[in-house]
Amino acid sequence: RLEINDCSVGSWRPQECMDIKVAQQLEKQGIFNPQKAVTARRPLHSILHKCGFGGGIQWFLRGKVSPPQTPQYGANCPPLRLKTVCNDFECPVDCELGDWEGWSACSKTCDGGLKRRVRPVEVYPQNGGDACDATNDEQTCNALACDRPCLLQNWGPWRACTRACDRGMRWRSRKIKRAATGDGRCPRTFSKARYERRVCNAQPC
């Protein structure tokens, strides 16, 4: 008894989308899988077609599966290759930004203001390209209070005694490092905070 088997094929295996001209050259060589066409001089990215008007060529491949077709009696195999157009759409264009411009002047001289900077859009996104990051930036500035007291320097050195004997005087003082602003206060020149004196050389002459 003769058992008749028709040709059986597996599932379609989609290949990567290829540049049309490259795909046509490879088809003449019997190459339908772009991975098998890669060489040192022809990297994969030069073979593939990612996007662009007109599209590329994509092959779908499938192979025969057992049991084999019965000669003369079994049905012939359906096509093992299928060619379609692929990636027929415009390429996405990502946003491109220019350099940041310089910071603006602070909006306030005290009590906290804002300074700003901007950068231009060189290329606007198209066709689903990456959106632009921020084109405006701001930072706080001049956060010190408007009404602030002065800031004093450290004590200066003691001055030489005014007398060599019979009770003289020596003194030291503190100068202003940063002036007061607004309603801030500052000790007077001869206040205890800024002026200090001591008796010296108290022995009789």
Side-chain angles (χ1 to χ4, degrees):
R1 180 184 173 205
L2 177 64
E3 183 176 350
I4 299 175
N5 295 316
D6 296 330
C7 176
S8 298
V9 295
S11 300
W12 287 112
R13 302 188 311 277
Q15 308 302 302
E16 294 173 279
C17 187
M18 291 187 285
D19 177 81
I20 289 180
K21 291 183 179 180
V22 176
Q24 291 171 345
Q25 295 173 357
L26 295 178
E27 183 178 359
K28 295 177 181 179
Q29 303 172 33
I31 299 175
F32 307 97
N33 181 349
Q35 297 287 346
K36 295 182 178 180
V38 174
T39 64
R41 293 186 177 182
R42 185 167 56 187
L44 182 62
H45 69 80
S46 68
I47 300 174
L48 302 182
H49 177 82
K50 296 295 184 181
C51 56
F53 187 74
I57 289 178
Q58 182 180 25
W59 286 96
F60 288 79
L61 307 177
R62 59 183 175 182
K64 300 176 183 179
V65 297
S66 58
Q69 173 190 5
T70 303
Q72 298 181 357
Y73 296 101
N76 293 327
C77 295
L80 302 179
R81 294 189 299 271
L82 174 65
K83 180 169 62 173
T84 63
V85 175
C86 54
N87 294 347
D88 184 12
F89 53 82
E90 294 188 36
C91 293
V93 177
D94 297 336
C95 174
E96 294 184 16
L97 298 175
D99 295 331
W100 286 106
E101 297 179 4
W103 288 102
S104 67
C106 192
S107 60
K108 299 175 67 176
T109 57
C110 53
D111 276 348
L114 288 174
K115 59 181 180 180
R116 297 178 173 86
R117 64 176 181 172
V118 296
R119 56 180 173 178
V121 177
E122 303 284 352
V123 178
Y124 285 90
Q126 300 178 46
N127 309 322
D130 291 341
C132 296
D133 291 330
T135 57
N136 296 278
D137 188 19
E138 60 182 30
Q139 287 185 0
T140 57
C141 50
N142 294 341
L144 293 175
C146 290
D147 298 330
R148 60 179 179 179
C150 70
L151 180 65
L152 299 178
Q153 295 181 4
N154 294 328
W155 285 102
W158 286 101
R159 300 292 178 139
C161 192
T162 57
R163 301 183 66 177
C165 55
D166 278 348
R167 192 182 179 88
M169 297 296 296
R170 62 176 181 170
W171 58 275
R172 64 177 182 172
S173 64
R174 298 175 72 183
K175 295 181 179 181
I176 296 174
K177 183 176 182 179
R178 186 191 65 213
T181 58
D183 293 332
R185 299 193 175 188
C186 195
R188 295 186 178 184
T189 302
F190 294 104
S191 65
K192 290 183 178 181
R194 294 183 56 188
Y195 182 78
E196 186 178 15
R197 64 180 183 173
R198 293 180 181 177
V199 174
C200 55
N201 294 339
Q203 73 278 6
C205 290

